[in-house]
Amino acid sequence: MSLAVESKPDVDHQSTYFRCISGCSAKHSIFDVIYTCPTCGSLLEVYHEREPLKKKNAYQWQQLFDSRASTSKWPFGSGVWGMREWVVPSLADENVVSMFEGNTNLFWAERLGDQLGVPDLWIKLCGNSHTGSFKDLGMTVLVSVVKQMMAQGSSVKAVACASTGDTSAALAAYAAYAGIPAVIFLPAGKVSTAQLIQPVANGAHVLALDTDFDGCMKIVQEVTKDDSIYLANSMNSLRIEGQKTVGIELVRQFEWEVPDWIIIPVGNLGNISALYKGFKLMLDLGLINRMPRLVAAQAERANPFYTAYKNGFAEKVSVTAQDTLANAIRIGDPVSYAKAVKAVQETNGIVEQATENELAEASATADLTGMFTCPHTGVALAVLKKLIDRGEISSKDKTVVISTAHGLKFTDFKVGYHESTLDGIDSKHANPAVHLPADASAVKDEIARRLEQHNG
Amino acid sequence: MSLAVESKPDVDHQSTYFRCISGCSAKHSIFDVIYTCPTCGSLLEVYHEREPLKKKNAYQWQQLFDSRASTSKWPFGSGVWGMREWVVPSLADENVVSMFEGNTNLFWAERLGDQLGVPDLWIKLCGNSHTGSFKDLGMTVLVSVVKQMMAQGSSVKAVACASTGDTSAALAAYAAYAGIPAVIFLPAGKVSTAQLIQPVANGAHVLALDTDFDGCMKIVQEVTKDDSIYLANSMNSLRIEGQKTVGIELVRQFEWEVPDWIIIPVGNLGNISALYKGFKLMLDLGLINRMPRLVAAQAERANPFYTAYKNGFAEKVSVTAQDTLANAIRIGDPVSYAKAVKAVQETNGIVEQATENELAEASATADLTGMFTCPHTGVALAVLKKLIDRGEISSKDKTVVISTAHGLKFTDFKVGYHESTLDGIDSKHANPAVHLPADASAVKDEIARRLEQHNG
């Protein structure tokens, strides 16, 4: 990884901007401190005009991205910045805040696929990464844009979010790498140091407020009003730009072959929106000629998107999200609803849900074939099984499951499962240690017994 | 990652074999179930004859390895199997048990290097990997060899080790991926489910014996005597073959430039032996023309190698290892001593140690620049600082620190540090949450106070 830098991207920098997804005509610079449409309050998206990108043909883009994926030249070794012309073309080299994110393991789930009857099964292990979740992909973009804002004399002095999970971990790490202060808001007394240890260790300013999570969000929004602190929460559409690379990357890893299905766990709905956005860009530029079918996998205890889908997306549904093992997708009122509806509708997609027991069993079953899955990946795997069982996914289909975080971030879930102490969970595959005397013959007998079970 | 396979390696399969490091003349097949020299009891090593490997010149090897590092063709996307002719040339494709290990992030520690006055500082993040530690590199080789043995009708029916840490996690995961039974031995009552959750989740047969760790080792050795269970403990030199690729890989990532220094935390001394072995092979085949200086970093509380070094390696030293935060290198009687002495002596290397306080502070300081370091990486970083302070490592040197595991495997260490509850540790960089009322103006004041501190 040398520091030599390729020549600047040959894409017009004025052709990438924020635009309102509700169709307002105004364009805004992505270096402006705005999070929603100033006119109508809708979500923004980073739009890339297609014409300037068509100066290269599909094959040229594929060759370029392929060549960079193998390079050690900074920052192209990053899965995100290897596609910089499609992400933030106007970002100066010196403002790229990259920790070599992306290029994650596209794992051939050979044994699990055989067991399920879909041998062409792949798991995109986004959690085998710097901070242990896919959030790195979005935060490298957001923090890089902030670095450029600050270099250009913006009023921004710090970045902030209200989160107790992967988002705060990724924000704090990227901010630390860039030397930009980060502020994390959370409700006092409800979050342990262990839950927050990544932002704490990365030196974020962690504020525990005497209120609940919604109260924290209100305070964050008030504090960030004067544009001195940049909000990194999920309505910020810059993060989508980084996250969209995961779809492009996995198609590249398949030598530009499009899988039939991609199953992704969803809560706030930003990640499936990002996935769709990456595929749509590839389709428009001719790198692919069909879309995969996108499947949104929800926890039954936090299923507003599933409910809306069942109603034919007649209207947005909000629910009071209940406790779920899949706590990172415990969202009752998803921010990126409108974008996600488009993602499902335009890919002939499906929304399905999984119970607590289903997600726990799916996770445990996958682990037995060499993985170490987080509960959200369990949701996606449980949905995979349902779609196979009812014949939607066939044995010839190429299917990818997006694994969003490393199981090492969820050891309590794993321990609870294998100690059979999770409420309402059967723990059918619990694998407790076997207590034996220190006697070789007793040990040999026990091993022989289990081997017989294994072979029988 | 397609399943298409390159043509078979064009290296003579008879030129790679076990040989005794003490100079016995006997060769043994690496598919034999032996762990030490049957004649004299010394360690074995996997030896690769140089002449057959010289059929390709240095540039051809470099081109081959470079080209494979960018491929999605199984199994060459693996950092280990991309060098298969240098690892186990006689392994059949269908017996490769690979989970896309290696090719880990060679992280440019820009801010940390600036702070320490060594801007050319790099951290090889071996823990950003499938099971979260460098042990994956060795286990992919060991389990692949076992798979081939079993396919060829060997008496082996399972793999086993006595370990409560990264070794058992990696063994269990690779065995699960291959569908080979794994048995893990540990002392009853001394290890929590949380410590063992990876092998438990991966379906290993976990046996808790009424004895201490040494007692477990005795039972393992007895149980494995009849060759039905293959021992994956650290005297097994197959693991070294996988681990040696890390040095080759990082030189490849530097476009075949050799760093001046490599600092690696050491306990049982297998990993530094592996590092040396990879460099020696590159040197013999002309891919590099000088060796890096290897630095072995020990915890002061488990420092037999440091003590031996101070005595000019006059004789092997054993100590009773004391408790240390760096518990994966808490070894009093290191197995790979003889190999490691050679590694240090032949690279003009250094052995240095770090106290508990030094390792904890070094780890916390690194985290503030965007990493999330395990305590063993803390040992290496503390040693780095010592060598800079006393002028051994200069500001112009290119230095690599081997980070052996992901910090997510050591959250207790991080939490203890930031809660200032670790015995004898100053926690100078503790960063506890700040408790505040849910009041925007109080929050703004607190943020302003800390920003001033940051800028001041």
Side-chain angles (χ1 to χ4, degrees):
Chain A
M1 201 187 309
S2 81
L3 298 180
V5 170
E6 239 184 41
S7 61
K8 294 267 181 171
D10 55 353
V11 169
D12 175 6
H13 296 173
Q14 302 315 308
S15 58
T16 297
Y17 43 80
F18 281 139
R19 73 172 189 187
C20 173
I21 67 163
S22 294
C24 291
S25 60
K27 302 174 184 178
H28 300 276
S29 162
I30 59 174
F31 299 97
D32 284 354
V33 186
I34 52 170
Y35 312 107
T36 52
C37 176
T39 310
C40 71
S42 293
L43 291 178
L44 298 172
E45 67 173 353
V46 176
Y47 185 71
H48 301 269
E49 287 182 1
R50 298 329 197 212
E51 285 314 312
L53 293 174
K54 287 182 178 168
K55 286 181 189 162
K56 282 197 204 304
N57 65 33
Y59 182 67
Q60 287 172 323
W61 282 121
Q62 287 166 331
Q63 279 202 313
L64 183 69
F65 294 162
D66 278 339
S67 72
R68 286 175 177 170
S70 68
T71 193
S72 53
K73 282 196 180 59
W74 186 88
F76 298 115
S78 155
V80 173
W81 299 105
M83 306 172 194
R84 66 188 295 180
E85 295 86 349
W86 290 19
V87 176
V88 185
S90 51
L91 197 79
D93 291 336
E94 64 270 22
N95 295 325
V96 174
V97 181
S98 172
M99 297 200 284
F100 206 80
E101 49 289 318
N103 286 325
T104 48
N105 189 344
L106 181 58
F107 183 86
W108 181 35
E110 182 178 9
R111 283 189 66 218
L112 185 63
D114 281 347
Q115 288 170 13
L116 293 171
V118 286
D120 206 359
L121 176 64
W122 303 77
I123 318 281
K124 180 68 174 164
L125 293 172
C126 298
N128 287 14
S129 66
H130 197 78
T131 75
S133 88
F134 74 98
K135 302 276 182 177
D136 289 3
L137 302 174
M139 284 305 175
T140 183
V141 174
L142 184 142
V143 175
S144 295
V145 168
V146 169
K147 191 173 177 191
Q148 183 142 322
M149 286 179 192
M150 292 172 76
Q152 292 170 348
S154 150
S155 56
V156 170
K157 292 183 172 51
V159 289
C161 72
S163 158
T164 58
D166 297 332
T167 301
S168 63
L171 179 64
Y174 279 84
Y177 190 65
I180 294 171
V183 190
I184 308 295
F185 292 80
L186 65 135
K190 286 167 194 147
V191 182
S192 69
T193 306
Q195 283 175 281
L196 275 175
I197 189 60
Q198 287 179 284
V200 160
N202 289 141
H205 193 185
V206 179
L207 302 180
L209 307 187
D210 283 327
T211 177
D212 59 11
F213 202 83
D214 290 339
C216 286
M217 275 309 301
K218 266 185 214 151
I219 297 277
V220 180
Q221 280 168 342
E222 200 164 329
V223 166
T224 54
K225 257 188 200 147
D226 72 356
D227 294 356
S228 67
I229 298 177
Y230 191 75
L231 198 55
N233 72 339
S234 56
M235 78 179 63
N236 191 316
S237 57
L238 288 173
R239 284 166 50 195
I240 301 274
E241 289 312 288
Q243 291 171 209
K244 84 178 180 194
T245 61
V246 79
I248 306 166
E249 179 173 297
L250 71 85
V251 171
R252 185 185 62 66
Q253 288 173 309
F254 282 136
E255 293 170 6
W256 304 100
E257 183 189 344
V258 178
D260 299 299
W261 299 90
I262 301 180
I263 305 177
I264 184 168
V266 301
N268 235 336
L269 301 176
N271 212 13
I272 189 169
S273 306
L275 197 56
Y276 171 74
K277 197 163 187 279
F279 274 97
K280 182 66 167 64
L281 188 51
M282 284 193 283
L283 189 72
D284 288 352
L285 297 177
L287 280 77
I288 58 173
N289 57 17
R290 67 178 181 114
M291 296 290 267
R293 293 182 70 181
L294 299 186
V295 178
Q298 287 224 291
E300 190 188 38
R301 292 204 180 171
N303 66 355
F305 195 56
Y306 174 75
T307 310
Y309 169 76
K310 281 295 187 189
N311 298 338
F313 291 129
E315 58 182 350
K316 182 176 174 182
V317 173
S318 292
V319 302
T320 303
Q322 296 169 270
D323 268 349
T324 166
L325 292 164
N327 54 32
I329 54 174
R330 187 194 170 210
I331 308 280
D333 184 22
V335 166
S336 296
Y337 175 80
K339 293 178 178 178
V341 170
K342 196 171 166 189
V344 170
Q345 286 180 330
E346 302 207 352
T347 65
N348 188 23
I350 293 174
V351 187
E352 190 45 86
Q353 63 179 2
T355 65
E356 297 298 287
N357 209 39
E358 287 167 346
L359 77 87
E361 288 305 324
S363 172
T365 305
D367 289 356
L368 290 174
T369 64
M371 282 175 273
F372 196 63
T373 50
C374 73
H376 320 96
T377 306
V379 171
L381 290 167
V383 164
L384 166 69
K385 188 167 183 315
K386 284 188 179 180
L387 297 188
I388 294 168
D389 287 348
R390 67 175 195 236
E392 295 269 13
I393 295 180
S394 89
S395 62
K396 286 187 179 156
D397 290 348
K398 183 188 275 295
T399 303
V400 178
V401 170
I402 306 285
S403 174
T404 45
H406 204 296
L408 286 170
K409 295 191 109 175
F410 294 88
T411 50
D412 288 349
F413 159 64
K414 298 279 179 209
V415 170
Y417 181 88
H418 288 283
E419 290 183 342
S420 301
T421 56
L422 296 180
D423 262 0
I425 303 298
D426 293 345
S427 290
K428 262 190 271 181
H429 297 95
N431 179 34
V434 179
H435 193 151
L436 290 175
D439 172 75
S441 113
V443 167
K444 281 183 189 174
D445 289 350
E446 166 64 17
I447 293 175
R449 189 195 59 74
R450 173 114 160 204
L451 278 179
E452 209 163 294
Q453 224 175 32
H454 173 88
N455 297 323
Chain B
M1 200 188 305
S2 81
L3 298 179
V5 171
E6 239 182 41
S7 60
K8 295 266 180 175
D10 55 352
V11 168
D12 175 6
H13 296 172
Q14 302 316 308
S15 59
T16 296
Y17 42 80
F18 281 139
R19 72 173 190 186
C20 173
I21 68 163
S22 294
C24 291
S25 58
K27 301 175 187 180
H28 301 275
S29 162
I30 59 174
F31 300 96
D32 285 353
V33 186
I34 54 171
Y35 313 107
T36 53
C37 176
T39 311
C40 71
S42 294
L43 292 178
L44 298 171
E45 66 174 353
V46 176
Y47 185 71
H48 301 267
E49 287 181 2
R50 297 332 196 212
E51 285 314 313
L53 293 175
K54 287 182 178 167
K55 286 181 190 162
K56 282 197 205 303
N57 65 32
Y59 182 67
Q60 287 172 322
W61 282 120
Q62 287 166 331
Q63 279 201 311
L64 183 68
F65 295 162
D66 278 338
S67 72
R68 287 175 176 171
S70 69
T71 193
S72 53
K73 283 196 180 60
W74 187 89
F76 298 114
S78 155
V80 173
W81 299 105
M83 305 172 194
R84 66 189 294 180
E85 295 87 349
W86 290 20
V87 176
V88 185
S90 51
L91 198 78
D93 291 335
E94 65 269 23
N95 295 324
V96 173
V97 180
S98 171
M99 297 200 283
F100 205 80
E101 48 290 319
N103 285 324
T104 49
N105 190 344
L106 181 57
F107 183 86
W108 181 35
E110 183 179 8
R111 284 188 65 216
L112 185 63
D114 281 346
Q115 287 169 13
L116 293 170
V118 285
D120 207 359
L121 177 64
W122 303 76
I123 317 284
K124 180 69 172 161
L125 293 172
C126 298
N128 288 13
S129 65
H130 197 78
T131 76
S133 89
F134 75 98
K135 301 275 182 178
D136 289 2
L137 302 174
M139 284 304 175
T140 182
V141 174
L142 184 141
V143 175
S144 296
V145 168
V146 170
K147 192 174 176 190
Q148 183 142 323
M149 287 179 190
M150 291 171 77
Q152 292 170 347
S154 149
S155 56
V156 169
K157 291 183 173 51
V159 289
C161 74
S163 158
T164 60
D166 297 332
T167 301
S168 63
L171 180 64
Y174 279 85
Y177 190 65
I180 295 170
V183 190
I184 308 296
F185 292 80
L186 63 135
K190 284 168 195 147
V191 182
S192 67
T193 306
Q195 282 174 281
L196 275 175
I197 189 60
Q198 287 179 284
V200 161
N202 289 141
H205 194 185
V206 178
L207 301 180
L209 306 187
D210 283 326
T211 177
D212 59 11
F213 202 84
D214 290 340
C216 286
M217 277 307 303
K218 265 185 215 152
I219 297 277
V220 179
Q221 280 168 343
E222 201 164 328
V223 166
T224 55
K225 255 187 200 149
D226 71 357
D227 294 355
S228 67
I229 298 178
Y230 191 74
L231 197 53
N233 72 338
S234 57
M235 78 178 61
N236 190 316
S237 58
L238 287 173
R239 283 167 49 195
I240 302 273
E241 288 313 288
Q243 292 170 208
K244 84 178 179 195
T245 61
V246 81
I248 305 166
E249 177 173 296
L250 70 86
V251 170
R252 185 184 61 68
Q253 288 172 309
F254 284 136
E255 293 170 6
W256 302 101
E257 183 189 344
V258 178
D260 300 298
W261 298 90
I262 301 180
I263 306 177
I264 185 167
V266 300
N268 235 336
L269 300 176
N271 212 13
I272 189 169
S273 306
L275 196 57
Y276 170 75
K277 197 164 188 280
F279 274 97
K280 182 68 167 62
L281 188 50
M282 284 193 284
L283 189 73
D284 288 352
L285 298 177
L287 280 76
I288 57 174
N289 57 18
R290 68 181 179 110
M291 295 291 267
R293 293 182 70 181
L294 300 185
V295 179
Q298 286 223 293
E300 190 187 37
R301 293 205 180 170
N303 65 355
F305 195 55
Y306 174 76
T307 310
Y309 169 77
K310 282 295 188 189
N311 298 338
F313 291 128
E315 57 181 352
K316 181 176 175 183
V317 174
S318 293
V319 302
T320 303
Q322 297 170 269
D323 268 347
T324 167
L325 293 165
N327 53 32
I329 55 174
R330 187 192 171 213
I331 307 279
D333 184 22
V335 165
S336 296
Y337 175 81
K339 293 178 179 177
V341 170
K342 197 171 165 192
V344 170
Q345 286 179 330
E346 301 207 354
T347 64
N348 188 23
I350 293 174
V351 187
E352 189 46 85
Q353 63 179 3
T355 65
E356 298 297 289
N357 209 39
E358 287 166 346
L359 77 88
E361 289 305 324
S363 172
T365 306
D367 288 356
L368 291 174
T369 65
M371 281 175 274
F372 196 64
T373 49
C374 75
H376 320 95
T377 306
V379 171
L381 290 168
V383 164
L384 166 68
K385 188 168 184 314
K386 284 188 179 178
L387 297 188
I388 294 168
D389 287 349
R390 68 175 196 237
E392 295 269 13
I393 295 180
S394 88
S395 61
K396 287 186 180 156
D397 290 349
K398 182 188 277 293
T399 303
V400 178
V401 170
I402 306 285
S403 174
T404 45
H406 203 296
L408 286 171
K409 294 191 111 174
F410 294 87
T411 51
D412 289 349
F413 160 63
K414 298 281 178 208
V415 171
Y417 181 87
H418 287 284
E419 290 183 341
S420 300
T421 55
L422 297 180
D423 263 359
I425 303 299
D426 293 344
S427 290
K428 263 191 270 181
H429 297 96
N431 179 33
V434 179
H435 193 152
L436 290 176
D439 172 73
S441 114
V443 167
K444 282 184 188 173
D445 287 351
E446 167 63 18
I447 294 175
R449 190 195 59 72
R450 174 113 159 206
L451 279 180
E452 209 163 294
Q453 224 176 32
H454 174 88
N455 297 323

